[in-house]
Amino acid sequence: NAGVTQTPKFQVLKTGQSMTLQCAQDMNHEYMSWYRQDPGMGLRLIHYSVGAGITDQGEVPNGYNVSRSTTEDFPLRLLSAAPSQTSVYFCASSLRDRVWGEANSPLHFGNGTRLTVT
Amino acid sequence: GQQVMQIPQYQHVQEGEDFTTYCNSSTTLSNIQWYKQRPGGHPVFLIQLVKSGEVKKQKRLTFQFGEAKKNSSLHITATQTTDVGTYFCAGRRQGAQKLVFGQGTRLTINP
């Protein structure tokens, strides 16, 4: 199993450009999420999904779109990149607890995408 | 909204000294998880605490969940250079689906 795969590893964008960060998992995890990591800010949740066709906003969703057409894939789209979106982005997935409807299982993280917007 | 605060932000110790990081939530949590991120790496799951007052140990690491399920701590006894990294707590509010992380504590060690 590859686990959680993120591409690309590095990306440089100019302000106003758009791009998609890819995330795929092969563990049949229902719960997937995107975090951004900035110095001193920890990991902040951007968007998450509890299953195919279902997405919801996290703490910092502005400027980002997501979709979940399949269980395996959860791409993150930057519509018009801004310097404030310079960050390291992590995709993470986990099983979803069917009893409580909450993802109590551990998160499995991808290796991250380092994005710079100039 | 739900907030998870973690202190200290940084901690530098001599090898062999103990280390503790604290996590406090503004709301009651259903569970709390701890992760470790090595420099340049991604967060890796360490442990999950679910019960009020729960204490779990992993070798030199001791994890506690408060009685009110609003705070937690990670204590490392006799640190080693392999303990270097950033430690994150992450909590989920009762009935919520999203996991919110603390800001992390970055541990550096002087050998």
Side-chain angles (χ1 to χ4, degrees):
Chain A
N1 285 351
V4 179
T5 303
Q6 284 185 241
T7 55
K9 291 185 179 180
F10 302 95
Q11 183 71 53
V12 179
L13 293 177
K14 294 186 187 300
T15 298
Q17 287 184 318
S18 62
M19 79 158 295
T20 300
L21 279 63
Q22 302 291 344
C23 176
Q25 52 89 12
D26 60 0
M27 298 173 283
N28 202 30
H29 285 173
E30 292 175 289
Y31 182 91
M32 296 187 74
S33 53
W34 277 100
Y35 289 87
R36 60 176 289 174
Q37 184 172 29
D38 304 291
M41 303 292 287
L43 292 154
R44 292 184 292 170
L45 182 64
I46 304 172
H47 286 284
Y48 65 100
S49 168
V50 298
I54 305 170
T55 63
D56 207 344
Q57 296 181 349
E59 305 165 84
V60 289
N62 292 342
Y64 307 95
N65 274 1
V66 292
S67 60
R68 185 90 181 272
S69 56
T70 67
T71 300
E72 294 78 20
D73 300 298
F74 191 45
L76 178 72
R77 296 183 187 85
L78 280 69
L79 306 175
S80 178
S84 61
Q85 293 178 305
T86 294
S87 187
V88 179
Y89 292 84
F90 287 102
C91 178
S93 71
S94 72
L95 290 170
R96 186 179 178 199
D97 188 307
R98 293 187 182 280
V99 174
W100 299 103
E102 300 172 7
N104 286 319
S105 297
L107 283 177
H108 296 255
F109 282 82
N111 288 331
T113 296
R114 186 173 295 274
L115 175 68
T116 302
V117 183
T118 60
Chain B
Q2 180 188 353
Q3 288 188 322
V4 177
M5 306 299 292
Q6 195 173 347
I7 56 170
Q9 191 173 357
Y10 302 97
Q11 185 77 58
H12 180 76
V13 301
Q14 290 288 126
E15 187 175 15
E17 291 182 338
D18 292 357
F19 159 78
T20 304
T21 174
Y22 301 91
C23 187
N24 293 289
S25 171
S26 57
T27 59
T28 301
L29 301 171
S30 64
N31 59 30
I32 195 155
Q33 298 176 353
W34 285 91
Y35 292 78
K36 177 183 178 181
Q37 183 179 25
R38 294 184 185 276
H42 59 273
V44 174
F45 174 79
L46 292 176
I47 207 161
Q48 175 170 263
L49 304 171
V50 179
K51 299 177 183 176
S52 169
E54 189 170 13
V55 178
K56 286 188 176 181
K57 292 190 176 184
Q58 287 180 350
K59 297 183 181 179
R60 295 177 293 104
L61 278 62
T62 302
F63 304 84
Q64 292 187 327
F65 201 11
E67 294 289 342
K69 299 185 75 173
K70 296 180 74 171
N71 56 71
S72 181
S73 65
L74 158 60
H75 180 81
I76 302 178
T77 303
T79 54
Q80 300 175 0
T81 54
T82 54
D83 296 325
V84 164
T86 301
Y87 293 85
F88 291 98
C89 63
R92 184 174 287 106
R93 183 168 47 87
Q94 298 271 11
Q97 293 169 324
K98 56 187 179 183
L99 190 65
V100 177
F101 279 75
Q103 297 93 328
T105 296
R106 182 180 172 191
L107 173 65
T108 55
I109 298 174
N110 200 21

